[in-house]
Amino acid sequence: MTRDYLVELNESQREAVINTEGPALVIAGAGAGKTRVLTYRIAHLLQKGVHASQILALTFTNKAAGEMKDRIARIAGYETARYLWMGTFHSIFARILRKEGDRLGYQPNYTIYDTSDSKSLIRTIIRELSLDDNIYKPGVIAARISGAKNNLITSGMYAADNSLHEYDKSCRMPFMADIYKTYSARCFRANAMDFDDLLLNTNILLKDFPEVLSSYQEKFRYILVDEYQDTNFAQYLIIKQLAARHENICVVGDDAQSIYSFRGARIENILKFRDDYPSSRLFKLEQNYRSTRIIVNAANDIIANNEGQIHKTVFSENEEGDRIMIMQAVTDMEEGFNIASDIFDKRLTHRLKWEDFAILYRTNAQSRIFEETLRRKNIPYKIYGGLSFYERKEIKDILAYFRMVINPDDEEAFRRSVNYPKRGIGDVTIQKILDLATDMNVTAWSIINDAEILPSYFNAGTIRKISSYTSLINSFVAGREKADAYSLARDIASGSGIMKELRDGKMPDEISRYENLEELLNGIKAFTEAAETNGEPAGLDAYLANVALLTDQDNEKEEDSEKLTLMTMHSAKGLEFNYVYIVGMEDTLFPSPMSSGSLKELEEERRLFYVAVTRAKKQVILSYALNRYRWGNLERSNPSRFLQEIDKKYIHYPQTGGKPFRSGRPATDKVSFLSEKPAGSIPSAGSIPSARLRRIRTADRTTALHQPSSGPAGTQQFNEGDRVLHERFGQGIIVSLEGEAPDNTASVEFENSGRKKLLLRFARLRKI
């Protein structure tokens, strides 16, 4: 050991590290050092003499696994750490299936289909079955199949379940079972698994082959699981089976951060851990090292409102810090302007970096307004979870060649690579090959690689073109065993003609594609060197397996670090920033309206708010708009009920000199600006700096900022039934009036534009 790592831990952390025998539940509050505990617990096991190969550590990102393994290696030595079974659920189970998958009928060189591959295959099946893709939407179908697999429902079980069939009929998708069955068969024929198959097939393997289960139960004497609150049913069952013999299982997580039920995660897994293991010990990590005391205390206020939780009291010994800012805007466009201005001012005043800031929102659609206002102020930003490097066309094209060389039976890779670069094999020919493969129940590769079959179905010119492709792939396959990932990848990029095709481009986007190819090869070179240094497989098959299982966090690039981050609250989990802006804090957005009918779903929304708040190290800024455009109409919004759950002493209102916004009711210990009225209330013009009252024009009008005019609407009194003229919508009749000045609105039935709800102070209406 290179150092006494135990002295770096507080008392609670140390207890969780040194008590390694038997089942253990480690509940770690946000910023409480759970990764350090998990890392040092493994290091402690190694120090006690446990061999690294007997330790299984499961994470949710490759990045987390890599960082933990590196930290362990610095303590225990690289030669020792290299034998750890540490990685994501999917990468570990993929490794097991490469060794044991032949029992299920798979070859070790099976392909892992990513989301786009799965949707492409589903799209093909929908077309072949002559189904309406407006009803059978590939994304919806993929989600249904994924949900079934995560609940360990195979295609055969799905078809035999009458309740599922009745549900599909009620959704106007009676052929759902047929699609699932065909999809599963096609994946199997192509020697391919999707992400969910890695979990489903591992469960089948352990259930149907007791000798395999027994061998891995004996092998993995110590099992550690990170982010246990995010596990689904399939993951839970695999862990439970593997741990059944020795029960040296340690799970680490925070029930207060369980926010992925829409992906199948079950909070019950962590809440009922002690029911599964009655002899388990509970360790609570309650000291937050990330955030200020105010942020931690406010977060405690929020999560205390949930009933379903394991109680803990998180605390911080950091500085007290700035109070949480509440920012109010008249419209959603003004909200974007307010946030961009505040970020710009803070950066200049405190000499901060752009990467110190993050804007978090509930739905992806909210990013548009902030993108526009950030661009106006020349603030560089990135959208986290956007298009991955590996999703770009030129990258997927070359990866398709790589996949064909490793697994020629891969139908999706064949479809993508057979006529790129163009070699005169048209869509009709490709479809004919695929149809023949389906009719004969063989792979497309079997068809095009059979010299006896081809003359019966294709003319001499087509056969010549097909043969040039098969000869090319076979030449790469022949050299596969001797070449490392980089050498083979470069040969494929050059020999396929892709490198020349991209290099010859002159347009900026073509040059960019060539640079992306270069970047890919650079990455493969780095992978190869690292694998060889660590004594790990360095072949192209190992590289493809690694790429297929990357997550959003694994795909982050260094050059993106010098930018402000825009992301959903879900994507922010596991990250931290100095200043966090949580926007759209309105009951029509957050909590999500879809959660209003269920206490369980509302509690998950509250946990999401807790996660968002605890991403901040120095300050949290909460923002909402009193009016928001929806389908072209300006509609009133109510400040989120979650704002009421933060003690007033932790809150500051910068727009009103620190005073709560007017609410029309007495101040309480909670946030007093909230109102039972539908819209709350808008502060008077004199209480807000004039710049805050500016708004951004929308639709086809100019995007410049301007002061709202007092105009006719500001001086005229309107009544229901008045005929009015609007400069954009034309003539109409006021159907109803709501609210009080200055936030009163009018519903107007326009002759040519239909009914619109308008905020009178901005509407510029004129009586006629």
Side-chain angles (χ1 to χ4, degrees):
M1 290 293 169
T2 58
R3 68 175 191 266
D4 183 4
Y5 52 91
L6 292 180
V7 301
E8 301 172 24
L9 305 173
N10 64 36
E11 185 178 348
S12 298
Q13 292 172 332
R14 191 179 304 110
E15 287 297 306
V17 165
I18 64 177
N19 290 284
T20 58
E21 303 305 303
L25 171 60
V26 180
I27 295 296
K34 71 176 180 59
T35 302
R36 171 173 287 194
V37 166
L38 205 55
T39 301
Y40 286 12
R41 187 180 173 99
I42 294 170
H44 194 67
L45 285 169
L46 296 173
Q47 187 188 46
K48 289 173 62 176
V50 177
H51 195 274
S53 64
Q54 296 178 317
I55 300 172
L56 171 63
L58 297 167
T59 67
F60 273 83
T61 69
N62 290 297
K63 182 179 180 181
E67 290 175 351
M68 286 174 57
K69 196 168 187 178
D70 187 60
R71 289 164 70 175
I72 293 167
R74 289 200 296 270
I75 298 173
Y78 287 89
E79 187 60 30
T80 298
R82 64 185 286 191
Y83 295 105
L84 286 169
W85 278 65
M86 175 177 284
T88 64
F89 285 86
H90 292 89
S91 65
I92 293 294
F93 300 156
R95 183 175 171 184
I96 291 173
L97 288 168
R98 293 216 182 269
K99 183 178 179 181
E100 312 287 352
D102 60 324
R103 299 171 187 265
L104 303 178
Y106 290 92
Q107 299 302 310
N109 63 333
Y110 68 82
T111 297
I112 299 174
Y113 277 178
D114 63 18
T115 303
S116 61
D117 294 322
S118 296
K119 288 183 180 179
S120 175
L121 178 55
I122 290 170
R123 194 174 291 110
T124 298
I125 293 169
I126 291 170
R127 185 173 62 249
E128 291 175 352
L129 295 177
S130 300
L131 299 174
D132 185 349
D133 59 7
N134 289 318
I135 296 175
Y136 293 89
K137 297 179 179 179
V140 174
I141 301 299
R144 293 290 300 278
I145 292 174
S146 175
K149 289 182 178 181
N150 284 327
N151 284 290
L152 305 183
I153 301 172
T154 64
S155 59
M157 295 164 64
Y158 194 103
D161 192 315
N162 288 331
S163 63
L164 289 174
H165 186 59
E166 289 301 316
Y167 178 77
D168 290 337
K169 286 199 295 186
S170 71
C171 296
R172 298 193 303 146
M173 295 192 296
F175 296 101
M176 177 67 213
D178 297 294
I179 297 173
Y180 186 9
K181 180 179 179 181
T182 305
Y183 174 78
S184 297
R186 294 283 274 276
C187 285
F188 185 77
R189 191 178 77 192
N191 193 34
M193 299 187 204
D194 62 25
F195 292 147
D196 301 308
D197 284 326
L198 298 175
L199 303 180
L200 175 63
N201 287 332
T202 299
N203 269 291
I204 293 173
L205 180 70
L206 299 180
K207 177 175 67 71
D208 292 353
F209 299 91
E211 68 279 13
V212 174
L213 172 60
S214 180
S215 68
Y216 283 100
Q217 284 177 332
E218 185 59 33
K219 177 177 179 59
F220 299 132
R221 291 176 174 266
Y222 294 87
I223 298 174
L224 302 97
V225 185
D226 192 16
E227 304 287 8
Y228 191 64
Q229 76 282 348
D230 293 336
T231 53
N232 60 29
F233 178 63
Q235 291 163 331
Y236 162 81
L237 206 57
I238 293 171
I239 296 165
K240 199 167 191 304
Q241 291 179 89
L242 291 176
R245 179 167 299 177
H246 299 289
E247 288 202 346
N248 290 321
I249 176 172
C250 173
V251 302
V252 181
D254 183 4
D255 55 290
Q257 297 186 64
S258 179
I259 58 174
Y260 294 125
S261 65
F262 65 96
R263 295 182 187 169
R266 305 197 321 167
I267 191 173
E268 294 81 9
N269 292 349
I270 194 166
L271 293 179
K272 296 182 178 179
F273 180 84
R274 287 176 291 175
D275 294 335
D276 289 337
Y277 302 95
S279 64
S280 64
R281 298 187 62 175
L282 173 64
F283 302 95
K284 294 182 180 181
L285 309 183
E286 297 175 302
Q287 183 172 355
N288 180 301
Y289 290 92
R290 174 191 301 152
S291 308
T292 65
R293 295 202 300 274
I294 279 182
I295 292 173
V296 170
N297 292 338
N300 286 339
D301 281 354
I302 294 164
I303 204 63
N305 290 275
N306 271 11
E307 295 179 6
Q309 62 175 301
I310 299 172
H311 178 73
K312 61 183 178 300
T313 303
V314 182
F315 67 94
S316 172
E317 294 183 353
N318 295 338
E319 63 179 354
E320 182 177 27
D322 294 326
R323 284 182 292 171
I324 292 174
M325 281 174 49
I326 303 287
M327 297 182 69
Q328 177 179 267
V330 176
T331 67
D332 48 357
M333 295 300 288
E334 184 186 81
E335 180 185 38
F337 174 70
N338 288 349
I339 297 298
S341 297
D342 193 68
I343 290 172
F344 195 87
D345 293 344
K346 271 191 172 68
R347 180 175 180 270
L348 287 178
T349 303
H350 302 293
R351 298 184 179 182
L352 303 172
K353 298 179 180 179
W354 293 124
E355 61 263 34
D356 288 326
F357 302 94
I359 299 175
L360 310 184
Y361 36 76
R362 181 62 181 83
T363 65
N364 278 304
Q366 290 171 256
S367 74
R368 180 191 62 81
I369 288 172
F370 297 99
E371 288 187 71
E372 291 178 4
T373 54
L374 292 172
R375 279 200 296 266
R376 258 186 223 114
K377 286 189 170 289
N378 293 317
I379 297 177
Y381 67 88
K382 62 179 177 180
I383 298 181
Y384 189 92
L387 182 65
S388 161
F389 176 80
Y390 297 96
E391 289 296 314
R392 294 167 182 167
K393 179 185 181 302
E394 62 276 12
I395 301 303
K396 290 191 75 67
D397 287 338
I398 189 66
L399 289 179
Y401 270 93
F402 294 172
R403 286 164 49 176
M404 281 300 295
V405 173
I406 301 303
N407 174 23
D409 292 333
D410 186 337
E411 185 176 294
E412 290 303 306
F414 160 75
R415 189 194 301 272
R416 191 169 194 111
S417 63
V418 68
N419 195 42
Y420 180 77
K422 292 188 181 299
R423 52 176 56 90
I425 303 175
D427 291 343
V428 173
T429 299
I430 295 172
Q431 192 57 51
K432 189 172 183 179
I433 293 169
L434 294 171
D435 290 343
L436 285 171
T438 299
D439 293 342
M440 298 180 184
N441 196 28
V442 296
T443 65
W445 180 252
S446 298
I447 297 293
I448 66 174
N449 216 31
D450 193 327
E452 296 182 3
I453 290 180
L454 292 178
S456 302
Y457 296 97
F458 303 100
N459 61 42
T462 301
I463 292 174
R464 187 167 58 254
K465 296 168 186 174
I466 293 173
S467 297
S468 71
Y469 172 75
T470 56
S471 297
L472 180 68
I473 299 298
N474 282 322
S475 70
F476 296 140
V477 171
R480 189 180 74 189
E481 297 302 323
K482 298 178 181 178
D484 60 39
Y486 175 73
S487 300
L488 183 54
R490 188 165 182 92
D491 287 346
I492 294 171
S494 177
S496 65
I498 290 179
M499 185 177 288
K500 181 180 185 302
E501 168 118 338
L502 297 178
R503 185 176 57 233
D504 291 345
K506 303 300 181 188
M507 300 300 290
D509 61 329
E510 294 173 327
I511 295 172
S512 176
R513 287 196 288 270
Y514 182 68
E515 290 171 346
N516 287 337
L517 176 59
E518 179 187 19
E519 179 63 25
L520 176 71
L521 293 174
N522 290 340
I524 298 175
K525 180 67 172 177
F527 167 85
T528 303
E529 291 177 348
E532 290 174 343
T533 300
N534 296 326
E536 298 171 350
L540 191 60
D541 54 342
Y543 172 77
L544 283 177
N546 181 64
V547 168
L549 297 169
L550 290 176
T551 67
D552 284 342
Q553 289 189 33
D554 300 320
N555 287 330
E556 281 290 275
K557 297 168 68 174
E558 285 188 15
E559 58 263 35
D560 283 339
S561 64
E562 296 298 318
K563 299 176 181 178
L564 175 148
T565 301
L566 291 172
M567 60 168 56
T568 65
M569 298 180 207
H570 282 99
S571 297
K573 187 171 177 293
L575 303 177
E576 58 183 42
F577 305 89
N578 283 327
Y579 296 87
V580 171
Y581 292 76
I582 305 173
V583 300
M585 291 295 301
E586 301 143 32
D587 264 348
T588 48
L589 276 176
F590 188 50
S592 167
M594 292 185 291
S595 69
S596 59
S598 165
L599 177 62
K600 183 177 180 180
E601 291 176 357
L602 182 62
E603 291 202 345
E604 176 152 335
E605 289 287 291
R606 186 177 286 111
R607 292 194 295 269
L608 183 57
F609 186 33
Y610 176 85
V611 167
V613 168
T614 55
R615 297 313 91 200
K617 297 164 70 174
K618 293 186 177 299
Q619 190 175 30
V620 174
I621 299 90
L622 306 176
S623 172
Y624 66 93
L626 293 169
N627 300 273
R628 187 171 294 273
Y629 276 97
R630 292 182 177 83
W631 300 103
N633 292 318
L634 192 63
E635 297 184 2
R636 291 190 175 199
S637 301
N638 212 23
S640 172
R641 69 193 74 179
F642 291 156
L643 295 176
Q644 299 182 65
E645 298 174 355
I646 304 174
D647 195 302
K648 180 183 174 183
K649 66 186 177 183
Y650 302 131
I651 290 174
H652 174 60
Y653 310 86
Q655 295 163 310
T656 59
K659 298 179 181 178
F661 298 116
R662 290 191 297 111
S663 67
R665 67 178 185 183
T668 66
D669 288 339
K670 298 299 182 181
V671 181
S672 62
F673 62 83
L674 298 176
S675 168
E676 299 302 327
K677 296 179 183 179
S681 61
I682 301 175
S684 64
S687 66
I688 300 179
S690 59
R692 302 302 189 200
L693 290 175
R694 295 174 184 173
R695 70 186 182 95
I696 301 170
R697 291 196 181 193
T698 57
D700 57 354
R701 300 182 61 81
T702 176
T703 58
L705 300 176
H706 66 89
Q707 292 279 13
S709 168
S710 59
T715 57
Q716 287 183 282
Q717 294 295 320
F718 292 97
N719 299 299
E720 292 181 6
D722 284 349
R723 290 190 60 80
V724 292
L725 178 66
H726 187 274
E727 59 186 20
R728 180 179 172 198
F729 300 129
Q731 295 186 21
I733 297 176
I734 294 179
V735 178
S736 63
L737 294 165
E738 298 178 21
E740 299 176 358
D743 61 329
N744 46 338
T745 62
S747 291
V748 184
E749 188 72 39
F750 290 101
E751 294 176 0
N752 299 319
S753 304
R755 183 169 299 191
K756 307 288 183 184
K757 182 176 283 188
L758 305 173
L759 189 64
L760 285 177
R761 68 189 304 187
F762 293 127
R764 299 175 183 270
L765 289 178
R766 211 179 323 178
K767 285 185 182 180
I768 56 175

